[in-house]
Amino acid sequence: MSIAGDPNVDQPVQRHWKFRWEDLATLPAKGERHVQPRGGAFRMYAEGAFKGFDIECLPLLKKSVKLRGQGRCVYCGGTHDAAGRPLKLTSEHVVPEFLGAGLELTASSCDACQTKTSSFEHALSEDLFGPARSVLDIKGKSGTLDLRHIRLDLGGLTSDPHVLPAFHHPTILILPSLYPAPAFSSAPVGIDHPYAFWMYNINADKKALDQYDIEAFSTQTVDQLRFSQLLAKIGHVYGSSYFGVGSFQPALTQLIRGDYPIADPNPPREFYSHIGCLWQCRDYDGKSECLHEIQPGSINFNGKLTKAVRIRLFSCFDMPSYFVALE
Ligand SMILES: [Zn+2]
C-alpha cells in the first residue's frame, strides 16, 4: 500500500495522490469508514480552537435554499464592467450542484469568475467524485453521471486505466486528512501534503473484482490543488454571505480564481496556508444525518481571532471536517 501517486498524465507532480491496494484481501469492509495509513496521524503543531455558530445541514434529498447576494461578484468584487455597465451576476452554488446540494447565493458571480470556478469543479466532479456521484445517484446540472466514462486505475506509480461495468466499479470515497493550516496553527508554510486518507467503502468487493482477474487497483486520484480550491470556494462564498462582503479582507480569492491545468506545477505554497484540519476538533466529526455540513465560526490561535468556516463533505459517511480561514 502506498499513498503516493500520479495524475492521469505522464508527469509526476506532487499535487496528486491516490491510495493503492496491492492485496484485495485487505480492502476495508463495505459500508464502513476507515483511515489509512492507520496510526499515521499524530499531533505535531499547536493549533487554534474553532468556535462554531449555526450548522448548515445539506440534506441527502436535495433541497433548494437561496441566500441573498451582496450586489457584487463575491470573487473579484466587481459591480461594473470596463464600460461602466452593471455586471451580470449569476447565482452561485455554495457546494457544487454535482455534490447534490441546493444551497445558492443569488446574484453573486460574474461571468469571468464563473468560468474559472467551473473549470476546477468540472474536473473534480469526474475525477475525484465521479464514482461516488454515480453510485449514490447524485444528479448534477446535466443529470446523473454515466459511469462508463469513469476509469478504474489498475496502475501503481503510473496510471493504467480500465473501464468496468458500472455495477462492479469498486467505489471507495477517499478524502485527504490535512495538517492544520499555518493561518491557524504553528505549522510552517509548506505543509501541503495529506498525512492520511479517510475512506468509505461504498461497494468495493474482492469477489466482484476476481471475476475480472483484478488483483490490485488504486482509488480515484486526489488533486489536492483543485480540492483545496473547492474548499476555499465553499468557505469563501458561504462566509461572504454569513459575515457579509467587506467584513473581512478575503484571503482565498486568488486561489479560487487561479487556473491550474492538471499538468501544471504547484502554485506558491502559501496557497495552502488557510486550509487544513484541526485535530482537536474531532467533536464535530462522527455520525451525521447530513450529506454535507457547513458551519461558520471563528478560530482563535494565540489570541488572534480569524473568521472561518468548517466544511464537512459527505458527513453521512463520517468524513473529516476541513477548516478554512477566510482572512
Ligand atoms: Zn468576478
Side-chain angles (χ1 to χ4, degrees):
M1 286 187 280
S2 71
I3 61 167
D6 68 344
N8 293 325
V9 293
D10 287 324
Q11 189 176 356
V13 283
Q14 284 186 8
R15 63 185 247 205
H16 303 92
W17 303 84
K18 62 186 179 183
F19 196 90
R20 178 170 170 77
W21 276 275
E22 296 284 359
D23 175 3
L24 298 189
T26 63
L27 272 178
K30 274 199 274 188
E32 285 181 21
R33 200 282 318 277
H34 294 258
V35 177
Q36 295 277 6
R38 284 181 186 288
F42 53 95
R43 181 145 55 85
M44 295 161 65
Y45 303 110
E47 62 179 32
F50 178 76
K51 181 172 182 292
F53 311 137
D54 323 291
I55 296 182
E56 185 89 51
C57 171
L58 307 183
L60 280 159
L61 201 62
K62 188 167 167 180
K63 187 175 143 218
S64 182
V65 176
K66 293 196 194 308
L67 305 171
R68 203 159 55 84
Q70 314 249 332
R72 57 179 60 231
C73 174
V74 78
Y75 302 113
C76 67
T79 53
H80 290 78
D81 66 15
R85 287 176 301 236
L87 278 177
K88 186 176 146 260
L89 298 172
T90 49
S91 163
E92 187 70 343
H93 280 261
V94 179
V95 174
E97 240 181 325
F98 69 80
L99 289 177
L103 183 63
E104 286 176 57
L105 191 61
T106 56
S108 58
S109 179
C110 74
D111 274 358
C113 291
Q114 182 120 58
T115 304
K116 288 173 177 167
T117 54
S118 56
S119 100
F120 69 77
E121 289 185 349
H122 180 75
L124 285 169
S125 74
E126 299 203 351
D127 299 344
L128 179 56
F129 294 111
R133 282 179 59 204
S134 178
V135 171
L136 299 173
D137 200 24
I138 295 178
K139 291 175 182 61
K141 224 175 265 171
S142 44
T144 312
L145 187 72
D146 187 344
L147 203 51
R148 278 175 302 185
H149 300 308
I150 301 291
R151 298 165 304 170
L152 178 65
D153 184 359
L154 302 187
L157 281 176
T158 53
S159 293
D160 178 13
H162 285 250
V163 175
L164 295 190
F167 49 91
H168 281 158
H169 186 104
T171 303
I172 297 178
L173 180 68
I174 169 171
L175 292 178
S177 197
L178 306 174
Y179 287 95
F184 48 78
S185 77
S186 65
V189 172
I191 295 294
D192 54 3
H193 56 276
Y195 65 78
F197 290 107
W198 290 36
M199 48 185 73
Y200 186 91
N201 184 352
I202 297 176
N203 72 349
D205 171 64
K206 182 176 183 319
K207 244 188 235 154
L209 292 167
D210 282 348
Q211 297 174 44
Y212 304 94
D213 291 328
I214 289 173
E215 293 172 348
F217 73 94
S218 299
T219 59
Q220 299 301 112
T221 296
V222 177
D223 179 336
Q224 203 191 334
L225 176 51
R226 284 177 172 156
F227 186 61
S228 297
Q229 286 183 289
L230 174 68
L231 294 174
K233 182 209 138 143
I234 296 170
H236 176 79
V237 173
Y238 194 81
S240 296
S241 162
Y242 188 87
F243 296 111
V245 170
S247 73
F248 58 92
Q249 184 65 39
L252 297 160
T253 45
Q254 202 189 348
L255 170 62
I256 298 167
R257 298 173 77 241
D259 183 16
Y260 306 106
I262 195 163
D264 253 25
N266 268 309
R269 296 192 130 170
E270 294 78 42
F271 276 27
Y272 294 107
S273 65
H274 285 64
I275 300 163
C277 293
L278 282 175
W279 300 358
Q280 292 164 63
C281 281
R282 285 289 146 81
D283 290 356
Y284 289 104
D285 297 341
K287 278 259 172 282
S288 168
E289 299 297 315
C290 316
L291 177 60
H292 312 298
E293 290 173 5
I294 304 178
Q295 186 176 26
S298 61
I299 297 178
N300 184 345
F301 180 60
N302 283 347
K304 185 174 167 260
L305 219 55
T306 304
K307 289 188 175 71
V309 175
R310 179 178 72 87
I311 300 161
R312 197 173 175 218
L313 300 174
F314 294 99
S315 41
C316 52
F317 291 161
D318 213 357
M319 286 287 143
S321 285
Y322 300 98
F323 295 83
V324 174
L326 303 182
E327 52 188 346

